[in-house]
Amino acid sequence: MCSSEETDLLRLEEVFSTTLARTISLILQPLLLADPEPSDPCGKECLRLLQQLHESAQRLWDVTEQSLLSLRQRLYHPPSMSLEAVLLLNNADYVLQAHMEYIKSYTDCLVVQAFQKVSKKRSEFWRSQRKALRQLLSSGSSEGSVGTTLCQALRQPLAHHVQKYVLLLLSLRDTLDEHHPAQQLVMHAVTLFGNLQSFMQQALDQAMATQALWHSLSSRLRDVLCTPTHRLLQDSQDIPVVVTPLRAERVLLFDDTLVLLQGHNVHTFDLKLVWVDPSQDKCVLHILTPEDEFSFCTRDPQGQVVWQWKVTQAVCQALCGKKDFPVLGSGREPSVPPECRCLAYTFHREGRLYQATYDGEWSRAKPHGKGTLKWPDGRNHVGDFYQGLEHGFGICLVPQASEDKFDCYKCHWREGRMCEYGICEYGTDEVYKGYFQAGVRHGFGVLDSAPQAPQPFRYTGHWERGQRSGYGIEEDRDRGERYIGMWQADQRHGPGIVVTQAGVCYQGTFQGDKMAGPGILLCEDDSLYEGTFTRELTLLGKGKVTFPNGFTLEGSFCSGTDKGLYTQGVLDTTALPPNPSSTRKRQLGLGAFPVESRWQGVYSPFRDFLRLGCPGELQEALLGFHVQSSRELRKSQEYLCCERSHPKDCVGSMEDILKELLQHRKPKALQQYLRKVRHPCGLSWIQLLQTLMLTFQATYSGIGANKHLQAMAQEEVKQHARELWAAYRGLLKVALLRQGQTLEEESMETRDLQVHGLLLPLLLPSFYSELFTLYLLLHEREDGLYSRGIANLSLFPDTKLLEFLDVQKHLWPLKDLRLTSNQRYSLVRDKCFLSATECLQKIITTVDPREKLEVLEKTYGEIEATVSRVLGREYKLPMDDLLPLLIYVVSRARIQHLGAEIHLIRDMMDPIHTGGLHDFLLTALESCYEHIQKEDMRLHHLPGHWDARELW
């Protein structure tokens, strides 16, 4: 059975529905028809607001009708509908929302006096409607202007209706049992509509105060500030404040903006970008905005408390994006605005950010966190900010004045300027990858010209204050030259080497980008010039030419008018021919560029990283990041948000790496671990290795592949191994310090053993291609003689070759020869000592000198094993027997470029092997190599006696 309270609710809804319908037809529709097509802006604004009010009233009527329908179903068909299914209880928030929308639309009209303005246009009509309007008012009074009567008619029925809602719902609650299913719903509805009364009263008070404010302002200020959405929360005329340093005459706090009035000037501040900072002085309140900071000084602490509370709650409400319910400052957690916010703002004050729009994270009125900064001219910066400045990783696009091109800077920034590592792609198609300091190139970097540039080049080296300075490599692709040497103020200055595509090498001193003073020139045919040059590297003045055959020409040189070379001097043909080996193997650059100082710009960032304790968030900034170059995506948002490892990931990975280092401290475990992490995401020093590989290729590949640079390259690889070992030790030290431990000092001897025994074998694969090419060029002549010797020896069948090499017959492995019915021993080829031959051929399958020596040792073992099997007993070969057998195996293995292999092993092998078995076997292999080269070997004549002392 339905209660009397439910019947009263039904009657209340019926009355309100009828009242709303009459309000719409008697008031709102005539108001819309008063001036359906206004021409002035004010009239258009009033019409828009009235249309909005009409729509909200219509929606409120629709919701009331839905509520009425549910109540009728409940009263007239109780079994089919329970009390808790009534719309007013089941969906109270839905009903509440319709009421709040109407209140907002009504107060918007009230603020700008829309009713008064529109009613004036049909004053006679509204006078005739006074009786009908009086019926809408519960008091029956319609004294005052038409506009005032309209305001009351549109507000009063709603206020009375909500009041009766609360009373009837409270009565309904009292009739329900404590455990009734609708009890909670009724209480919720009571709370909502009770709060709605408070909300409505505050909304009306704020609207009336705002309406009254416009009358106190000049017409000019009213035109600027008067908008229907503004609600006045506080006026300095009520609680006075003194504003410093802006000296504002009046302060107005609206629900969305803070306004300072200075004469005819109006300063407005979006509350979403206002930070309140209380002062230690209880009468002072600091206000922070993106472009201004000022203080409110009140007469007493109570005034400061009011202003602080009002501004704080208004900021919270603005950030929330909706009115506080039921009143300002209620129902919100937390009750203070957040320090960090994410908003957009356009700067208006002259300066670096003039007219720029920042969209991103803020803290205390400064861009702080991730954001995007855009200027009207097309410049934009996407990245990290700190206290208002670019700080951290960021991508900046700067449009070119002409053409549709951009300079793109993908860099790390510090205090608004580029710093640490960055990649810059310029509108000219030049690309720079390297380090910056204070916004200019500084440290190590690589600059590539545009591929289609008239004079294409690449510079790999050091920079200082935006200019090439220090050790660097420049390749001039147009001239086919590579400069290796010192720079100063963007010019070649100091000792330097020029290598040409034709194989000519110059070494001398450069000044003002040109060679000056004495120098040397090495030609492809090993001719040597020592003397002075012109700035164009042509011979001029006193000098001496040494020809490959030992002849010398000493005198004065100059260029003729027909581009020939003129000389006046003495030609000496009596000198003894020089040692061809020493002539061909002259090396450049060793004294001019100390290996320890060549690539300090590469090592320094890593040392800084270690000095700071390996902070993961700085790993990318100090050691570089890996982002693919993508010119075609320059102007897209996808490009600006290019994929990179997140700093948090870097922090995590660095912690893991340091922990793993502690678990792999023993040499074998460490070697396995370092082999495992040879990729860019592994140890940080692998990133350092990648940069060193780049410098090595820039110096010694292509044009730089010149035999006279082999010694420079060799000592550079060893220095890199020493530096990377120091880097590993630095990482280990940091890992131990984080565990509260210290790293023991190591001796020079221990360091050298670790460098050659552990690290150098790991590094060689990274540099092997360029390094071995230099060894090939340096030993090209010897390897040519060796190849011809091998070709001659390969003509011999096995037995003939063993006989020719004076191998004793009782050592011949004839048992290993499997003959067919038509074969004789004298015709069998490549069958003797086959296991040793196949073993020696494996020497070219590895780049590790230690593994190459192990192959040589196994080859020696295979030779002894074969001889022991032939003799039927264990047999240790004396040197007189070993050398001819080793020559046989070498000749049958047919290893190409054996001289280059031997010399690389000798230069790179671990010093621990010096004087040991490996050293002895390598010396034996060298002796075999030299004997195969000999002229008499190629003429089928070898000495019959082998002296073991020749090895030493």
Side-chain angles (χ1 to χ4, degrees):
M1 180 180 293
C2 298
S3 65
S4 61
E5 284 76 10
E6 293 176 57
T7 304
D8 291 342
L9 273 174
L10 174 64
R11 290 173 184 166
L12 178 64
E13 291 287 54
E14 288 176 341
V15 171
F16 187 58
S17 176
T18 303
T19 303
L20 273 177
R22 292 184 64 197
T23 301
I24 292 171
S25 61
L26 288 177
I27 300 177
L28 295 178
Q29 289 179 352
L31 283 174
L32 292 174
L33 295 174
D35 190 6
E37 295 182 0
S39 57
D40 61 303
C42 180
K44 291 180 179 179
E45 179 67 11
C46 288
L47 179 61
R48 184 187 68 80
L49 293 173
L50 290 171
Q51 289 173 339
Q52 181 177 293
L53 179 59
H54 180 271
E55 291 171 2
S56 61
Q58 187 66 46
R59 171 170 162 71
L60 181 58
W61 180 82
D62 291 338
V63 171
T64 304
E65 283 292 303
Q66 294 173 30
S67 175
L68 188 58
L69 179 61
S70 68
L71 283 168
R72 284 171 178 162
Q73 288 178 336
R74 165 66 181 161
L75 288 173
Y76 302 139
H77 306 285
S80 65
M81 192 171 190
S82 62
L83 178 60
E84 55 267 24
V86 172
L87 179 67
L88 188 60
L89 302 180
N90 182 50
N91 204 348
D93 293 279
Y94 172 70
V95 179
L96 177 76
Q97 187 61 35
H99 285 75
M100 292 180 66
E101 287 178 7
Y102 179 84
I103 293 169
K104 181 186 181 305
S105 300
Y106 170 77
T107 52
D108 283 351
C109 294
L110 198 62
V111 165
V112 296
Q113 295 183 302
F115 305 122
Q116 289 87 340
K117 292 176 182 177
V118 175
S119 63
K120 288 180 181 179
K121 297 182 179 180
R122 299 184 66 187
S123 57
E124 292 297 327
F125 169 78
W126 292 112
R127 288 194 188 95
S128 66
Q129 297 295 316
R130 276 186 181 275
K131 183 178 180 180
L133 293 174
R134 190 181 300 116
Q135 295 175 356
L136 294 174
L137 300 174
S138 60
S139 64
S141 174
S142 61
E143 296 297 329
S145 66
V146 172
T148 303
T149 304
L150 290 175
C151 292
Q152 293 174 349
L154 290 167
R155 179 189 75 239
Q156 198 177 85
L158 178 65
H160 291 165
H161 176 68
V162 173
Q163 184 181 12
K164 291 178 180 179
Y165 254 162
V166 175
L167 294 174
L168 285 174
L169 288 170
L170 285 171
S171 298
L172 178 62
R173 180 199 63 184
D174 294 338
T175 65
L176 298 177
D177 183 75
E178 183 180 353
H179 302 292
H180 192 281
Q183 179 68 247
Q184 293 294 328
L185 295 175
V186 173
M187 285 303 302
H188 178 63
V190 169
T191 303
L192 284 183
F193 289 102
N195 288 338
L196 180 60
Q197 286 183 293
S198 301
F199 177 81
M200 186 186 308
Q201 189 59 52
Q202 178 181 261
L204 292 171
D205 291 344
Q206 290 177 355
M208 294 300 294
T210 308
Q211 183 189 96
L213 170 69
W214 307 140
H215 298 293
S216 68
L217 300 178
S218 66
S219 59
R220 181 175 179 178
L221 293 177
R222 189 162 55 246
D223 291 340
V224 174
L225 296 176
C226 183
T227 63
T229 57
H230 272 166
R231 299 292 186 273
L232 181 65
L233 303 183
Q234 190 63 55
D235 188 343
S236 63
Q237 288 190 346
D238 298 327
I239 301 180
V241 294
V242 176
V243 183
T244 55
L246 296 182
R247 301 294 180 186
E249 300 163 0
R250 190 174 182 182
V251 181
L252 302 173
L253 175 63
F254 293 99
D255 59 348
D256 56 352
T257 57
L258 178 65
V259 178
L260 305 184
L261 302 181
Q262 284 180 310
H264 295 299
N265 296 322
V266 179
H267 302 279
T268 62
F269 304 96
D270 184 351
L271 287 180
K272 294 177 182 177
L273 287 165
V274 168
W275 277 257
V276 181
D277 189 10
S279 171
Q280 292 182 351
D281 187 338
K282 294 184 178 181
C283 293
V284 177
L285 182 68
H286 295 304
I287 303 294
L288 309 177
T289 70
E291 296 185 83
D292 289 288
E293 293 186 15
F294 46 89
S295 299
F296 288 173
C297 302
T298 60
R299 293 175 179 173
D300 51 54
Q302 290 80 5
Q304 189 261 14
V305 170
V306 173
W307 271 103
Q308 180 180 338
W309 188 86
K310 285 283 184 76
V311 175
T312 299
Q313 300 311 313
V315 170
C316 288
Q317 182 176 262
L319 289 170
C320 184
K322 61 181 181 180
K323 295 283 187 182
D324 289 348
F325 185 82
V327 293
L328 182 67
S330 63
R332 186 194 312 114
E333 289 294 337
S335 59
V336 293
E339 282 290 315
C340 299
R341 307 169 194 175
C342 191
L343 298 160
Y345 177 78
T346 300
F347 292 86
H348 304 287
R349 186 163 297 172
E350 291 287 345
R352 187 177 69 94
L353 299 179
Y354 177 60
Q355 294 186 331
T357 298
Y358 174 77
D359 188 354
E361 298 173 349
W362 297 76
S363 179
R364 295 181 61 78
K366 301 288 185 184
H368 189 91
K370 297 190 178 299
T372 302
L373 197 59
K374 294 183 178 180
W375 283 264
D377 61 4
R379 285 179 296 154
N380 58 54
H381 180 100
V382 179
D384 298 323
F385 292 80
Y386 181 78
Q387 294 184 357
L389 296 173
E390 300 89 335
H391 193 94
F393 179 77
I395 300 177
C396 181
L397 289 183
V398 180
Q400 296 293 303
S402 59
E403 304 182 20
D404 186 21
K405 292 187 176 182
F406 289 80
D407 289 342
C408 177
Y409 303 88
K410 294 181 285 187
C411 306
H412 287 268
W413 303 71
R414 181 180 296 169
E415 297 179 357
R417 295 194 287 183
M418 290 180 288
C419 200
E420 314 301 354
Y421 186 81
I423 298 176
C424 301
E425 298 175 356
Y426 301 95
T428 58
D429 287 337
E430 287 186 350
V431 178
Y432 173 79
K433 297 181 181 181
Y435 292 89
F436 290 85
Q437 188 177 54
V440 296
R441 301 168 190 160
H442 191 91
F444 172 77
V446 179
L447 178 64
D448 269 306
S449 68
Q452 307 303 324
Q455 295 181 324
F457 69 89
R458 165 180 275 195
Y459 174 79
T460 304
H462 297 84
W463 300 75
E464 186 174 339
R465 298 177 183 176
Q467 296 181 319
R468 290 170 288 187
S469 193
Y471 185 72
I473 316 298
E474 183 183 59
E475 182 169 342
D476 187 332
R477 295 163 188 157
D478 185 47
R479 294 170 58 91
E481 291 181 356
R482 180 173 295 171
Y483 173 79
I484 304 168
M486 303 305 293
W487 295 75
Q488 182 177 311
D490 237 10
Q491 293 184 326
R492 294 179 288 182
H493 189 90
I497 298 171
V498 175
V499 184
T500 71
Q501 214 159 23
V504 177
C505 292
Y506 303 84
Q507 177 173 318
T509 301
F510 286 76
Q511 287 184 354
D513 219 32
K514 302 294 183 181
M515 182 178 277
I520 63 173
L521 179 150
L522 283 169
C523 297
E524 183 70 13
D525 65 353
D526 296 322
S527 297
L528 169 67
Y529 171 79
E530 300 168 275
T532 55
F533 297 86
T534 67
R535 289 180 174 268
E536 285 71 36
L537 298 177
T538 56
L539 281 58
L540 179 66
K542 292 183 178 181
K544 176 183 178 181
V545 177
T546 303
F547 297 99
N549 59 4
F551 293 0
T552 61
L553 176 60
E554 188 169 0
S556 298
F557 297 84
C558 64
S559 299
T561 55
D562 57 352
K563 298 184 180 180
L565 180 65
Y566 289 83
T567 181
Q568 182 178 5
V570 177
L571 177 64
D572 184 1
T573 61
T574 61
L576 294 174
N579 183 343
S581 177
S582 63
T583 302
R584 287 192 309 276
K585 296 180 181 178
R586 291 189 180 98
Q587 294 297 298
L588 301 177
L590 294 179
F593 320 114
V595 68
E596 298 84 2
S597 59
R598 285 180 205 164
W599 297 112
Q600 287 303 308
V602 179
Y603 306 135
S604 294
F606 193 87
R607 292 188 187 124
D608 293 339
F609 181 61
L610 294 175
R611 179 175 49 80
L612 294 171
C614 300
E617 64 275 11
L618 293 182
Q619 182 176 357
E620 182 183 77
L622 287 169
L623 305 178
F625 46 87
H626 303 278
V627 181
Q628 294 298 320
S629 175
S630 48
R631 301 172 191 272
E632 68 278 3
L633 295 178
R634 280 186 180 181
K635 290 177 283 185
S636 72
Q637 195 67 20
E638 179 184 355
Y639 176 74
L640 295 177
C641 300
C642 62
E643 293 184 4
R644 296 160 42 251
S645 58
H646 195 275
K648 292 182 180 178
D649 298 334
C650 294
V651 173
S653 63
M654 180 53 61
E655 290 291 338
D656 295 340
I657 288 167
L658 294 176
K659 288 179 182 177
E660 283 196 80
L661 277 182
L662 295 175
Q663 298 168 6
H664 299 84
R665 294 183 63 181
K666 293 185 178 179
K668 284 194 175 181
L670 177 60
Q671 188 174 42
Q672 292 175 355
Y673 175 66
L674 295 181
R675 286 184 186 277
K676 181 184 71 173
V677 298
R678 286 181 52 78
H679 55 80
C681 298
L683 281 173
S684 300
W685 63 268
I686 296 300
Q687 295 173 287
L688 175 58
L689 174 59
Q690 289 182 325
T691 305
L692 295 175
M693 288 167 57
L694 184 149
T695 63
F696 200 76
Q697 292 166 0
T699 311
Y700 304 111
S701 66
I703 298 173
N706 190 290
K707 62 185 179 183
H708 301 298
L709 302 179
Q710 178 268 338
M712 262 185 77
Q714 171 209 319
E715 67 174 8
E716 207 164 286
V717 172
K718 291 182 179 179
Q719 179 64 21
H720 291 339
R722 286 189 286 270
E723 290 287 350
L724 286 170
W725 176 253
Y728 161 72
R729 293 272 301 174
L731 283 170
L732 185 59
K733 181 179 179 180
V734 172
L736 288 170
L737 284 174
R738 293 189 181 188
Q739 300 293 325
Q741 305 174 42
T742 57
L743 181 65
E744 296 179 2
E745 294 291 332
E746 66 174 356
S747 64
M748 293 289 290
E749 182 180 355
T750 303
R751 187 204 68 174
D752 291 342
L753 288 175
Q754 297 286 25
V755 167
H756 286 85
L758 178 63
L759 210 53
L760 196 56
L762 288 175
L763 299 190
L764 267 179
S766 302
F767 304 101
Y768 191 79
S769 177
E770 291 79 18
L771 184 62
F772 191 65
T773 299
L774 296 177
Y775 274 90
L776 291 179
L777 295 172
L778 187 62
H779 301 284
E780 186 176 17
R781 181 179 177 278
E782 295 96 321
D783 276 338
L785 295 175
Y786 157 79
S787 296
R788 287 194 289 271
I790 290 293
N792 288 330
L793 293 176
S794 65
L795 300 174
F796 287 83
D798 286 355
T799 55
K800 292 291 184 182
L801 183 56
L802 290 169
E803 182 181 5
F804 182 69
L805 296 174
D806 283 342
V807 176
Q808 298 185 51
K809 285 193 176 183
H810 69 281
L811 301 179
W812 294 8
L814 299 180
K815 296 178 182 179
D816 294 342
L817 304 182
R818 301 253 196 272
L819 303 179
T820 64
S821 57
N822 298 325
Q823 275 187 316
R824 291 178 295 172
Y825 282 121
S826 60
L827 299 178
V828 175
R829 195 187 307 269
D830 297 333
K831 297 297 182 182
C832 291
F833 295 97
L834 183 59
S835 62
T837 301
E838 291 175 345
C839 183
L840 184 60
Q841 288 171 339
K842 294 177 183 178
I843 201 169
I844 63 173
T845 62
T846 178
V847 301
D848 186 347
R850 178 180 51 197
E851 293 178 356
K852 290 177 182 289
L853 289 170
E854 289 172 355
V855 168
L856 188 57
E857 183 181 359
K858 289 177 182 177
T859 302
Y860 170 67
E862 288 293 335
I863 294 174
E864 278 202 337
T866 301
V867 171
S868 296
R869 190 175 64 253
V870 170
L871 298 178
R873 58 186 173 84
E874 187 175 343
Y875 184 76
K876 293 295 182 182
L877 286 169
M879 188 54 58
D880 287 347
D881 290 339
L882 174 62
L883 280 176
L885 287 173
L886 189 57
I887 290 178
Y888 172 86
V889 172
V890 170
S891 66
R892 288 310 193 219
R894 300 181 181 87
I895 298 170
Q896 291 186 336
H897 315 299
L898 182 60
E901 292 279 2
I902 291 172
H903 286 89
L904 187 141
I905 296 171
R906 175 67 70 189
D907 290 340
M908 295 292 173
M909 76 176 188
D910 193 336
I912 198 174
H913 297 304
T914 302
L917 177 61
H918 285 169
D919 191 9
F920 169 76
L921 292 175
L922 183 60
T923 305
L925 185 62
E926 287 174 325
S927 182
C928 295
Y929 174 74
E930 292 170 1
H931 276 87
I932 292 174
Q933 293 179 60
K934 288 183 179 179
E935 185 73 17
D936 52 353
M937 172 70 78
R938 294 192 293 110
L939 295 176
H940 307 275
H941 179 72
L942 283 172
H945 177 69
W946 298 88
D947 187 353
R949 288 174 296 178
E950 289 181 8
L951 289 170
W952 311 104

